[in-house]
Amino acid sequence: MIAILAFLALMVLLFLRTPIAVATGLVGLVGLAAFQGWTAAFSQVGIIASETVLTYEFAVIPLFIVMGAFIAHSGIADELFRACYAVVGHLRGGLALSTIIACGGFGAVSGSSLATAATMSRIAYPQMKGYGYNTALATGAIAAGGTLGILIPPSIALVFYGIMTETDISALFMAGIVPGVLGIVLYAAAVFWTVLRDPDAGPAGDKPASKERLQALVGAWPVVLLFGVVMGGIYGGFFSPTESAGIGAFGALALAALRGRISVQMLKSSLADGISTTVSLMMILIGSFLFANLVNVARVPQALVAMIETLAVPPLLVIFLIIAIYVVLGCVLESISMMLLTVPVFYPLIISLGFDPIWFGILVVVVVEISLITPPIGLNVFILNAVLRDVQLTEIFRGVVPFIVADVARVLLVVFIPALSLTLPYLLK
């Protein structure tokens, strides 16, 4: 009964727009006090806060965030977009496709969907509108492409999942590559379907000369180099994910300096972004761990397992019920908060049913991606609305519909073909 009341109280607080860290922390504290007394509950606050901040794996988060901030403020994303445009920009819908590919590349080194959407909206949207692109297609491609940053490694969401479930973060990174590339392919199909139905939605761009195309491709070498160093170092056994994050942050700063993009203002903006984002995530993580402790003390996972055993529900049906819960929660919660609230409940259940924890982590992140572009929250949509103030929110939501269909197709592929996410990590294990 205490656990049920705790969940109801949490939902009420979230609907009242209480910050997620405050809501989860407050409900977790009061719930633990009801079970164990106030002294034990307050002692857990101190223990969880100190252990979370001092955890070695947690250092991955601020370092990858700062790396993405250095890249965003150094103009490297502009060159990445130009390189993608040089390859496919001359096709019908090519600028939208260039945006999606560039989002995938930028997401691979920034690890943040919101940063990817905000950066590419400033770069790609004016280009697409200049060529007469439909507003819905232009904004939909940016909003959907931005979701790739949450999956393609290095991914902050996968780091959180790895910390919470004690799953190998490097294996999670490798598992995210194929589904991430699959997302780009399916998004490209959504673009081509849109321009097939309405050719005027995405007119073809200019075809660059061979020399200009080569110059644009050469300009993308910083992103390729940085991704190769970060990921190659991890899987070559040269350094851990935490060490790779530090090297990536330093490498991004060095690349900005080599290209003459470093300044006092750039450093201040990048570090301020990194600090504010890290502190926000740290507070959310502490609150979520408090709530997770309440869930464990109340034996909610064990109760779910017992109920499923009693009802004899097929394991695959359980997976689809979990997916449905994520889709519903995605209407009111942002992605990281949703993961932190639900993973402590669902993870023990998934393990008891015999599913692979790496596969489940990828499935969770892929489903969470959909929540970034679905109404009424859709954080990537709101990011675009904040950056592109002349675009109506309804227009952006209309533009993401084909990409939501593509995401649903990817979820089904990940569910029914586990090898998509498990082959690479197990080959390299």
Side-chain angles (χ1 to χ4, degrees):
M1 182 58 67
I2 293 175
I4 292 172
L5 290 174
F7 276 104
L8 291 175
L10 180 61
M11 290 298 106
V12 170
L13 288 173
L14 292 175
F15 275 113
L16 293 174
R17 307 192 68 82
T18 306
I20 183 69
V22 176
T24 52
L26 182 61
V27 172
L29 174 64
V30 175
L32 287 170
F35 274 107
Q36 302 173 331
W38 287 104
T39 302
F42 277 117
S43 68
Q44 287 198 48
V45 174
I47 293 170
I48 290 172
S50 60
E51 287 183 351
T52 300
V53 176
L54 297 176
T55 298
Y56 175 71
E57 290 80 5
F58 186 78
V60 172
I61 297 171
L63 290 170
F64 275 140
I65 289 172
V66 169
M67 180 179 75
F70 284 150
I71 291 170
H73 287 90
S74 64
I76 293 175
D78 298 75
E79 293 164 0
L80 179 63
F81 177 76
R82 282 197 293 270
C84 296
Y85 172 71
V87 177
V88 297
H90 61 284
L91 303 174
R92 191 178 296 278
L95 271 173
L97 182 57
S98 303
T99 300
I100 289 168
I101 298 172
C103 284
F106 185 76
V109 290
S110 72
S112 169
S113 293
L114 301 183
T116 303
T119 302
M120 297 309 298
S121 63
R122 295 186 179 94
I123 298 169
Y125 182 77
Q127 295 277 351
M128 285 189 276
K129 291 305 292 180
Y131 277 96
Y133 268 59
N134 180 286
T135 302
L137 175 60
T139 54
I142 298 170
T147 66
L148 297 169
I150 199 175
L151 179 61
I152 296 179
S155 161
I156 301 300
L158 290 177
V159 170
F160 271 118
Y161 179 85
I163 292 174
M164 296 181 72
T165 63
E166 298 183 354
T167 304
D168 185 353
I169 293 174
S170 59
L172 288 168
F173 280 177
M174 186 54 66
I177 291 178
V178 173
V181 173
L182 179 62
I184 295 175
V185 172
L186 291 173
Y187 284 170
V191 170
F192 289 135
W193 168 253
T194 302
V195 297
L196 183 65
R197 292 175 62 248
D198 181 10
D200 293 332
D206 298 326
K207 187 172 184 178
S210 299
K211 183 178 180 180
E212 293 175 350
R213 183 178 298 179
L214 181 61
Q215 289 175 341
L217 290 173
V218 171
W221 71 266
V223 173
V224 177
L225 176 64
L226 196 59
F227 181 78
V229 169
V230 171
M231 301 306 298
I234 293 175
Y235 298 107
F238 297 107
F239 36 77
S240 69
T242 304
E243 292 166 342
S244 74
I247 291 171
F250 177 78
L253 182 62
L255 287 173
L258 285 174
R259 304 173 83 79
R261 305 286 178 85
I262 196 168
S263 66
V264 174
Q265 184 58 42
M266 177 266 194
L267 287 174
K268 286 175 63 178
S269 299
S270 300
L271 293 176
D273 287 350
I275 291 169
S276 61
T277 305
T278 299
V279 172
S280 299
L281 292 176
M282 181 179 65
M283 296 303 296
I284 292 172
L285 193 60
I286 291 171
S288 298
F289 276 143
L290 271 173
F291 187 77
N293 274 16
L294 170 60
V295 168
N296 289 326
V297 169
R299 299 183 62 80
V300 173
Q302 292 87 339
L304 286 175
V305 172
M307 182 179 68
I308 288 170
E309 290 175 349
T310 303
L311 298 175
V313 178
L316 194 59
L317 179 58
V318 175
I319 292 296
F320 280 108
L321 287 173
I322 290 174
I323 291 172
I325 291 170
Y326 274 116
V327 172
V328 173
L329 289 177
C331 294
V332 294
L333 293 175
E334 56 91 15
S335 55
I336 295 296
S337 303
M338 187 164 51
M339 283 186 62
L340 294 176
L341 285 176
T342 56
V343 168
V345 178
F346 293 145
Y347 181 77
L349 174 61
I350 290 300
I351 297 303
S352 71
L353 293 174
F355 290 105
D356 190 283
I358 295 175
W359 169 82
F360 182 64
I362 300 302
L363 177 63
V364 168
V365 173
V366 170
V367 175
V368 163
E369 280 186 339
I370 301 177
S371 71
L372 291 171
I373 55 175
T374 50
I377 299 298
L379 279 186
N380 274 17
V381 174
F382 280 94
I383 288 290
L384 259 70
N385 185 242
V387 176
L388 310 173
R389 297 185 180 277
D390 59 328
V391 179
Q392 294 293 322
L393 203 59
T394 53
E395 191 76 7
I396 306 174
F397 276 124
R398 188 168 66 86
V400 298
V401 170
F403 300 100
I404 293 175
V405 174
D407 272 331
V408 171
R410 181 165 51 146
V411 168
L412 295 175
L413 288 171
V414 170
V415 169
F416 289 109
I417 311 176
L420 289 173
S421 52
L422 294 179
T423 300
L424 285 180
Y426 281 99
L427 282 176
L428 294 171
K429 191 172 183 179

